[in-house]
Amino acid sequence: MTPDLHLHNSLTRTKERFVPIDPAHVRMYVCGPTVYDLAHIGNARPVIVFDVLARLLRRLYPRLTYVRNITDVDDKINARAAESGEPIAAITARTTADFHRDMAALNALPPDAEPRATQSIAPMIALIEKLIARGHAYVAEGHVLFSVPSFGEYGALSGRSPEEMLAGARIDVAPYKRDAGDFVLWKPSPPGVPAWDSPWGKGRPGWHIECSAMSWQALGEVFDIHGGGHDLMFPHHENELAQSRCAFGTPRMASIWLHNGMLRVEGEKMSKSLGNFIVLRELLSRGAWAGEALRVAMLRTHYRADLDFTWAGLEEAKAELDDHYSMLSRAVPPPEQPALQAEMADWALAPLLDDINTPLALTRLRDLRTLENVASVGGSATAVLGRIGRGWPVVPGLAAAAFREAAGVLGLCAADPVAWLKGGEDTAWVDQAIADRLAARKARNFAEADRIRDELKAKGILLEDGPQGTTWRRA
RNA sequence: GGUCCGGUGGCCGAGUGGUCAGGCACAGGUCUGCAAAACCUGCUACGGCGGUUCAAUUCCGCCCCGGACCUCCA
């Protein structure tokens, strides 16, 4: 696949050709979770989106280092500890493990590095010292503050001037700030709150400095891609960018900034006050299919657009996966046509090169599925081949192999098809019922055969009579 | 108030200055003991008003509607 990837850069608000700083080693940083509570479905979106991008980059380039941090020092964590009595370290360790489990259920691969804020205090202090030395930060009443006016390009990422930001801002300005827009790099800790020794006394870092420190440690002063939710663009990413550029004196922090859109639920903004907050663990408990179905549901919308999550949409995504796995379950081993298989897979994946157009890639996956169905079950491929303008041979196994290859980049359809369709439990009784029904059919006792089928249907088992006998799957 | 992003057929959702998205749902059909699955066919939309153009859903302007962000929410 030719590495001709274009991405929408939030910094320039245009689609740009992706040119790695080092083509032999692409580097990407994505803001990870603050570990104080179970992940909700909104947390899942950037994980899924950037997992797809990571898989794509690995296909395009020889090496990728994908870094996603864990924020384990934060006032929300402190508050949770104060109200529950559980030690901070226990909360963060447990929540991190929960996060890992949930993300694995989404079929998201772990990042190459997962630095933690509490283990990155030294580089944070080093960065703050650089900023003070360069005149971009100052000490005031035990705090260290970043001087926004010292960085002329502040506001470029979020597209607003400091004056504009303050015009409608609903905040109180701390009296020790020289400028209302200045933000905290280091702050003193009240009793009972985690504190580390620093040149400015015992205290803790501000929110944004951790990502500047961790990306620096893991990827260097300048790297290729920085990602995260759109809500992080301001102030978090704006401040990160200011810190890193000012500390290192570089013309940029990352070449391309990517931001995924926000989530709504059944048309409404997801919020705790509306009571429509969906905890990922709860969604996953609906069945083994739920994680992958959520992945499909999310990839059906372009990553930059806001996504309206609906339960009906999740069901539709599951149904689509059922169809995919049905096709895969009957696919024969592919013929030895690696070049053609790669061509078909590349065709399906080509939309990803255009700013990660997953909805179109999913459409093409469906076309590959149809081609395989035509080859293995019967029918005509002329309609599909004509529409897509290809003259591929219709050979059993070929499109299925290309499908698997392409789906793998989307992180889909890696499960065993039979396990997916049958649920993986002990189901010898179903086979027995099918045998009984077969006997009834042979005796032309169709009333009994239909009775058995209805009985199974009531238990969520669907029978399908085919040329090779009767198969079944869960509804 | 400021900044920004969107409005595509019953629903979801790509894309394009002029020939087709696709899926779901629905309706026919092939196949089947009946079904299911699979395949085929039908369903022809681009918020409103102007403008540019031979031609606009696609470009420009205005308006309406929805959404996001505006100091610690992915």
Side-chain angles (χ1 to χ4, degrees):
Chain A
M1 203 171 190
T2 314
D4 189 27
L5 173 64
H6 290 252
L7 296 169
H8 179 91
N9 190 354
S10 299
L11 198 53
T12 57
R13 272 161 272 275
T14 55
K15 213 184 279 183
E16 297 177 6
R17 180 152 199 267
F18 174 62
V19 181
I21 296 165
D22 174 6
H25 183 192
V26 175
R27 292 163 290 159
M28 174 164 79
Y29 185 91
V30 175
C31 288
T34 300
V35 283
Y36 70 103
D37 205 350
L38 287 170
H40 59 256
I41 58 174
N43 295 306
R45 173 112 103 142
V47 171
I48 289 171
V49 164
F50 291 106
D51 181 61
V52 170
L53 179 57
R55 289 170 189 257
L56 177 65
L57 290 169
R58 289 204 171 92
R59 185 180 170 91
L60 298 176
Y61 296 98
R63 185 180 171 203
L64 167 75
T65 297
Y66 170 28
V67 179
R68 187 181 64 212
N69 70 290
I70 295 280
T71 296
D72 57 358
V73 49
D74 182 274
D75 284 348
K76 287 193 292 296
I77 300 171
N78 300 338
R80 188 57 60 98
E83 68 191 45
S84 71
E86 187 178 10
I88 285 173
I91 292 176
T92 58
R94 175 170 49 75
T95 310
T96 300
D98 285 339
F99 179 76
H100 287 155
R101 193 145 46 105
D102 289 347
M103 296 311 122
L106 299 173
N107 203 21
L109 299 171
D112 298 292
E114 194 171 52
R116 289 154 205 236
T118 51
Q119 289 164 21
S120 310
I121 300 293
M124 290 190 221
I125 290 173
L127 264 184
I128 295 171
E129 287 183 315
K130 282 177 191 287
L131 287 168
I132 294 174
R134 284 174 170 267
H136 290 292
Y138 58 94
V139 182
E141 295 186 24
H143 293 69
V144 183
L145 292 140
F146 183 89
S147 170
V148 166
S150 75
F151 181 50
E153 292 173 64
Y154 189 84
L157 177 63
S158 52
R160 46 189 110 200
S161 68
E163 301 77 57
E164 283 169 354
M165 283 180 263
L166 295 168
R170 26 176 209 238
I171 51 153
D172 296 322
V173 177
Y176 47 79
K177 287 187 181 180
R178 287 183 193 165
D179 186 275
D182 294 351
F183 56 90
V184 170
L185 299 171
W186 189 266
K187 57 190 172 186
S189 295
V193 167
W196 288 265
D197 287 320
S198 83
W200 318 285
K202 290 203 79 145
R204 60 212 156 103
W207 176 32
H208 319 293
I209 195 68
E210 58 170 279
C211 284
S212 288
M214 289 186 275
S215 61
W216 170 41
Q217 291 293 292
L219 300 174
E221 297 178 359
V222 178
F223 48 95
D224 296 298
I225 297 171
H226 190 129
H230 187 258
D231 55 340
L232 293 180
M233 193 152 87
F234 185 86
H236 186 52
H237 290 163
E238 191 73 71
N239 292 354
E240 259 187 66
L241 182 156
Q243 292 163 347
S244 293
R245 283 192 53 192
C246 289
F248 305 123
T250 52
R252 63 188 177 196
M253 179 185 185
S255 300
I256 295 201
W257 291 75
L258 301 179
H259 292 98
N260 60 273
M262 298 292 99
L263 227 66
R264 282 179 293 149
V265 174
E266 306 286 354
E268 288 190 308
K269 179 179 169 130
M270 184 171 74
S271 72
K272 283 177 177 163
S273 58
L274 284 169
N276 62 352
F277 214 78
I278 298 177
V279 175
L280 187 53
R281 181 65 53 88
E282 176 194 319
L283 183 147
L284 293 173
S285 74
R286 294 201 165 207
W289 52 271
E292 189 165 351
L294 179 64
R295 191 179 180 96
V296 168
M298 290 201 167
L299 295 180
R300 292 175 82 160
T301 298
H302 184 85
Y303 79 93
R304 276 195 293 120
D306 285 347
L307 167 68
D308 187 16
F309 173 87
T310 62
W311 292 105
L314 189 71
E315 290 295 330
E316 198 177 304
K318 179 196 180 288
E320 178 169 352
L321 284 166
D322 285 343
D323 291 345
H324 288 336
Y325 279 116
S326 290
M327 177 274 288
L328 292 173
S329 74
R330 58 182 169 246
V332 299
E336 284 299 316
Q337 302 206 50
L340 194 52
Q341 179 184 320
E343 180 189 325
M344 293 166 83
D346 282 345
W347 170 79
L349 293 170
L352 299 184
L353 299 177
D354 181 17
D355 198 28
I356 324 176
N357 190 340
T358 54
L360 192 55
L362 287 174
T363 288
R364 291 187 172 191
L365 231 38
R366 278 184 222 111
D367 286 333
L368 289 182
R369 184 184 77 204
T370 298
L371 289 175
E372 180 62 33
N373 282 335
V374 166
S376 62
V377 182
S380 168
T382 47
V384 171
L385 290 176
R387 175 161 55 75
I388 68 180
R390 301 285 168 151
W392 293 325
V394 181
V395 187
L398 178 62
F403 177 100
R404 278 187 195 282
E405 186 178 335
V409 177
L410 292 166
L412 295 175
C413 297
D416 173 54
V418 173
W420 173 278
L421 295 170
K422 297 190 175 179
E425 312 153 43
D426 174 36
T427 48
W429 63 275
V430 178
D431 295 328
Q432 182 56 52
I434 288 174
D436 292 346
R437 176 169 169 271
L438 182 63
R441 291 178 70 202
K442 279 196 169 150
R444 301 200 63 81
N445 183 356
F446 296 121
E448 171 65 5
D450 290 347
R451 189 196 64 74
I452 294 173
R453 185 171 60 202
D454 290 344
E455 190 179 300
L456 289 172
K457 188 180 179 185
K459 293 176 180 170
I461 306 290
L462 297 179
L463 299 187
E464 293 171 2
D465 296 329
Q468 281 84 41
T470 300
T471 59
W472 64 275
R473 64 185 174 88
R474 286 201 173 274

